[in-house]
């Protein structure tokens, strides 16, 4: 089955700097890669996702890049702000084309701290 | 407002006392799922349901039961809770599939079993 790993487990950056969170996956059939943000005491919420036919996707200050050859994808946050402090979960699945029964596998999460 | 509603938010119980955590969604989603979140272990799937009367095991189903008698409801049942089931539980739903469409999470239920 799919194995998703996130590195590092914690990341601390200065406000205004960029943050990059990396995930690796094991199943080359995976084709959909969402990122979820979980603020302290809150529920996870989808912030961005990418499909395997796209190499990069941007949404304002966040972007996700995908390297299918190396089987890794990364979340990039520019001009970080204190409200970016949260746990970020990456996930992978082959459900996009293979059907509803495919499994979404989450990484263990990375805690991002943005220092004011 | 489109949402996934879990109840209760907090629950403290004793070993062996049956409990049910309710989950309801108002988005007419086909897919619903339960996760538990533990420090350092991320989100682990307990059970999921593709549609009414269709349920299947996730990664950590032992000690849990679910039912899907109606499309909107997906309760999580702990027949005989044990301390190792102390955790933060999330219900989630999506329009279709296991993550091929965005997951909408409930606000979580923090369960403590003593």
């Amino acid at each position: 089955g799919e194995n998703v790993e996130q590195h590092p487990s914690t990341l601390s950056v200065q406000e205004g700097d960029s943050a990059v969170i990396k995930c690796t996956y094991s199943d080359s059939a995976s084709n959909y890669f969402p990122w979820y943000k979980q603020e302290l005491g809150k529920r996870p919420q989808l912030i961005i996702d990418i499909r395997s036919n796209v190499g990069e996707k941007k949404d304002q200050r966040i972007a996700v890049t995908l390297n299918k050859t190396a089987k890794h994808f990364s979340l990039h946050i520019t001009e970080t702000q204190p409200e970016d402090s949260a746990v970020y979960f990456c996930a992978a699945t082959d459900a996009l084309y293979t059907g509803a029964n495919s499994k979404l596998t989450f990484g263990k999460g990375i805690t991002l701290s943005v220092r004011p | 407002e489109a949402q996934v509603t879990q109840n209760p938010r907090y629950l403290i119980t004793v070993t062996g006392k049956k409990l049910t955590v309710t989950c309801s969604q108002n988005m007419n989603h086909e897919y619903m799922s339960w996760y538990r979140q533990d420090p350092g272990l991320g989100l682990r799937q307990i059970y999921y349901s593709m549609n009414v009367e269709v349920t299947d095991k996730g990664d950590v189903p032992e000690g849990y039961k679910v039912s899907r008698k109606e499309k909107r409801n997906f309760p999580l049942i702990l027949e005989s809770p044990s301390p190792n089931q102390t955790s933060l539980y999330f219900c989630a739903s999506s329009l279709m599939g296991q993550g091929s469409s965005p997951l909408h999470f409930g606000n979580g239920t923090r369960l403590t079993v003593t």
Side-chain angles (χ1 to χ4, degrees):
Chain A
E2 175 68 279
N3 182 44
V4 177
E5 294 189 352
Q6 296 188 239
H7 303 281
S9 58
T10 61
L11 179 62
S12 180
V13 299
Q14 192 71 39
E15 182 177 358
D17 287 350
S18 294
V20 181
I21 302 171
K22 297 180 182 178
C23 282
T24 60
Y25 61 98
S26 61
D27 188 351
S28 57
S30 288
N31 49 33
Y32 176 66
F33 307 90
W35 284 89
Y36 287 83
K37 175 184 179 182
Q38 185 182 28
E39 297 175 8
L40 189 63
K42 302 257 181 95
R43 60 188 172 180
Q45 291 189 289
L46 179 74
I47 55 171
I48 197 167
D49 56 15
I50 192 168
R51 300 183 174 194
S52 58
N53 59 347
V54 175
E56 182 176 2
K57 183 176 178 180
K58 290 182 180 179
D59 183 2
Q60 299 181 348
R61 293 187 300 108
I62 61 173
V64 57
T65 57
L66 172 64
N67 184 325
K68 289 187 291 183
T69 302
K71 288 191 281 188
H72 68 72
F73 55 112
S74 300
L75 179 70
H76 304 254
I77 307 174
T78 58
E79 300 172 19
T80 53
Q81 301 167 4
E83 52 265 38
D84 295 326
S85 295
V87 177
Y88 291 82
F89 292 99
C90 61
T93 180
D94 66 353
L96 202 57
Y97 305 116
T98 58
N101 284 330
S102 296
K103 180 176 168 55
L104 179 67
T105 301
F106 283 92
K108 289 181 169 47
I110 290 176
T111 300
L112 173 65
S113 300
V114 179
R115 304 186 302 274
Chain B
E1 181 189 353
Q3 59 185 359
V4 178
T5 303
Q6 286 180 237
N7 280 298
R9 290 293 308 277
Y10 301 92
L11 181 57
I12 301 173
T13 190
V14 296
T15 299
K17 186 176 181 180
K18 181 179 178 180
L19 66 91
T20 299
V21 184
T22 63
C23 175
S24 180
Q25 50 92 5
N26 62 0
M27 296 169 279
N28 201 36
H29 283 172
E30 301 279 335
Y31 173 83
M32 298 185 75
S33 181
W34 277 102
Y35 296 87
R36 61 177 288 175
Q37 183 176 13
D38 302 288
L41 297 178
L43 293 162
R44 294 183 293 167
Q45 189 177 52
I46 303 170
Y47 268 94
Y48 66 94
S49 170
M50 299 305 304
N51 212 326
V52 176
E53 300 294 359
V54 180
T55 63
D56 210 343
K57 296 177 181 178
D59 296 317
V60 289
E62 294 77 22
Y64 304 95
K65 283 176 57 177
V66 293
S67 69
R68 188 93 182 270
K69 293 184 170 57
E70 306 165 279
K71 196 172 187 179
R72 62 182 292 124
N73 296 323
F74 191 45
L76 179 69
I77 303 156
L78 284 73
E79 294 271 4
S80 183
S82 62
N84 64 12
Q85 293 179 297
T86 292
S87 186
L88 178 59
Y89 292 86
F90 285 101
C91 179
S93 72
S94 71
L95 186 60
M96 57 185 177
Q98 287 219 42
S100 55
S101 56
L103 283 170
H104 297 259
F105 286 86
N107 285 326
T109 296
R110 186 166 292 281
L111 172 66
T112 302
V113 184
T114 60

